[in-house]
């Protein structure tokens, strides 16, 4: 392959296993930044693979993940969280000896453990781009999706430095900022800032949906309701898999939220303006200081 | 006053007591639609009154609410929820005999009771435009704020038909859709679709703010967190007043949410995909069917 690229390609061939919103967007970002010479996408749905090619997210498509990884220098697992572990087991025998692996899943401990179990501890770098949306599929891919966003990587003491460097550079060239974090800590952090918000959205919308006055509630709901329940439009299958993969940290974070909620409820009942004001001011300062 | 207006003015003089975001936006909408010949705004802060005049929200300003209501055909209470009841008591002796009154507060039972207590049951029509935002003050006023939005009105059996007609027409000419609802039911409905979301936003942001890993949480927080916690930027004083005015319905709705949350938490812990999927699908269908 000739053709001028803006920077020297970091990698020869990248195989992306799963070309949904994240996988296809990463492919598009890789191709645009000239990070790899060739991007192969593997997936089960032909129409989605066609959309990925048509959208310039991948150069080649296959429905056979083994064909995709043979000869790949970097393998990105971008299937749903519950599929990635099985995927690792199925492809391990077909990997090039020096291939580096990473993933993009929302839960990191199971993926890192699975990589170690199949003997890939040195070459697997867990990854999680803090980007996404309620839209799904290659048809919604966006090469800008990771621009200015954080990607958390979870290398362990067993991970080789060169593998970490490859994956770090990949994300940085795709516009992301990289931060390293322990996989267990990662799973607790995302439970609080990503998974709990998801289920809060669902819980509120479901509570209103099953209210005897649901029609009136739906009519009266305005911008605040829409904003808090926006995530309830997300893909149920993806979130069932995340909940199953992050049971312990998510359960703990949900219980912590439940305790906090009880305290606020008691404060409302008791008219305790001190507790309510402190909560509101603490919440507001956090949002102001983080810009989130 | 001469000057052509698009429709025959419905009202001679409107007095708006409190020219914050809602009061000033209503003034702007009234003036633009030519609903009244004259709009007087009353408030405590001179700079805010100046902004309301400069923004074309009111024709005249005063810091004395009694001066504002003398001769007014329609009086709109647009002060914070906790101020409106006292305001009613202070102005009642200065009202024109045929003046109609309404308010824009987020809680309706206390306002309706207060109106009845001071002998205004026939002339007071409780109102609540389902519009707003985290921005405050006349400087953020928007004549379009109510366009296409719902305004809930809570006339009682004691309310005169002509008062209800005046207030209904006012809102409709300002672009809103009007729906009548019992004040008690209103307060339960908004507890679920507006007040609970507000405190969920606060509770989540406060939980993350006080986490030992708050800095990392703030860094990792992405679009989902931002959306669910958007309301945590709202004015604490306004929400303390709403919580105090709607204690019983809000407490009940918060407890109902807490029970629902416990069920979801148990389902996550138990890996009960049936319960989780049903909740996610019910939530999503509600959002799809209501468009909220």
């Amino acid at each position: 392959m000739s053709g001028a690229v803006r920077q020297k390609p970091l990698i020869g061939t990248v195989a992306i296993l799963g070309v949904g919103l994240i996988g296809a967007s990463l492919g598009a970002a890789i191709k645009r930044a000239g990070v790899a010479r060739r991007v192969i996408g593997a997936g089960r749905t032909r129409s989605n693979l066609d959309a990925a090619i048509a959208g310039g997210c991948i150069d080649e498509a296959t429905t056979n993940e083994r064909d995709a990884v043979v000869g790949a220098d970097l393998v990105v697992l971008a299937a749903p969280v519950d599929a990635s572990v099985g995927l690792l087991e199925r492809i391990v025998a077909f990997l090039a000896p020096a291939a580096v692996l990473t993933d993009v899943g929302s839960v990191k401990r199971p993926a890192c453990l699975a990589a170690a179990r199949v003997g890939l501890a040195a070459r697997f770098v867990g990854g999680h781009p803090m980007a996404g949306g309620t839209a799904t599929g290659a048809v919604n891919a966006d090469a800008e999706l990771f621009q200015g966003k954080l990607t958390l990587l979870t290398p362990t003491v067993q991970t080789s430095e060169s593998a970490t460097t490859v994956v770090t550079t990949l994300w940085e060239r795709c516009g992301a900022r990289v931060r390293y974090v322990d996989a267990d800590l990662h799973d607790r952090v995302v439970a609080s800032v990503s998974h709990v918000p998801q289920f809060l959205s669902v819980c509120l919308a479901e509570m209103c949906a099953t209210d005897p006055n649901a029609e009136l509630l739906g009519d009266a709901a305005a911008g605040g309701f829409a904003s808090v329940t926006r995530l309830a439009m997300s893909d149920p299958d993806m979130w069932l898999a995340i909940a199953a993969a992050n049971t312990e940290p998510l359960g703990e974070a949900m219980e912590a939220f439940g305790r906090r909620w009880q305290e606020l409820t008691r404060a409302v009942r008791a008219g305790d303006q001190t507790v309510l004001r402190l909560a509101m001011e603490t919440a507001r300062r956090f949002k102001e200081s983080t810009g989130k």
Side-chain angles (χ1 to χ4, degrees), chain A residues 1-2 5 9-16 27 30-31 34-41 57-62 67-74 170:
Chain A
M1 204 181 190
S2 61
V5 288
L10 171 72
I11 308 151
T13 297
V14 175
I16 300 178
I30 288 173
K31 279 169 59 67
V35 182
R37 285 192 210 284
R38 200 165 65 117
V39 180
I40 305 180
C57 307
I58 56 176
D59 299 305
E60 294 167 42
T62 172
D67 292 347
V69 304
V70 168
D73 303 288
L74 175 67
L170 168 83

Side-chain angles (χ1 to χ4, degrees), chain A residues 117-278:
Chain A
R117 208 160 47 228
V118 297
L120 293 170
R123 299 195 268 149
F124 179 86
V125 185
H128 182 198
M130 304 311 294
T134 56
T136 57
V139 75
N140 290 302
D142 174 10
E144 290 280 343
L145 188 63
F146 312 108
Q147 201 64 46
K149 303 285 170 61
L150 179 69
T151 291
L152 293 171
L153 297 183
T154 62
T156 70
V157 287
Q158 297 173 282
T159 315
S160 80
E161 220 170 286
S162 61
T164 303
T165 302
V166 165
V167 178
T168 301
T169 311
L170 168 83
W171 281 108
E172 288 178 347
R173 289 221 193 151
C174 291
R177 182 167 57 86
V178 166
R179 182 167 176 173
Y180 304 122
V181 60
D182 173 77
D184 283 5
L185 178 57
H186 168 277
D187 291 355
R188 281 185 281 130
V189 165
V190 296
S192 294
V193 297
S194 167
H195 307 176
V196 163
Q198 169 64 35
F199 286 101
L200 286 177
S201 266
V202 167
C203 194
L204 176 62
E206 195 254 3
M207 178 177 92
C208 293
T210 55
D211 190 284
N213 296 299
E215 187 276 326
L216 178 56
L217 267 66
D219 200 15
F225 177 86
S227 171
V228 175
T229 62
R230 182 177 68 82
L231 301 175
M233 291 303 287
S234 303
D235 178 27
D237 288 317
M238 188 180 102
W239 281 100
L240 284 176
I242 291 173
N246 207 28
T247 300
E248 183 62 28
L250 176 55
E252 271 175 26
M254 290 178 78
E255 281 157 13
F257 184 90
R259 286 191 296 273
R260 216 95 194 169
W261 184 248
Q262 271 196 330
E263 285 165 26
L264 275 191
T265 305
R266 269 197 294 267
V268 164
R269 284 279 194 200
D272 187 337
Q273 306 238 328
T274 310
V275 165
L276 295 178
R277 182 181 292 280
L278 180 63

Side-chain angles (χ1 to χ4, degrees), chain A residues 79-106:
Chain A
V81 163
D82 53 343
S84 286
V85 173
L87 206 49
L88 261 181
E89 289 166 356
R90 291 200 302 280
I91 62 170
V92 62
F94 300 87
L95 294 169
V100 170
L101 294 93
T102 186
D103 77 331
V104 297
S106 299

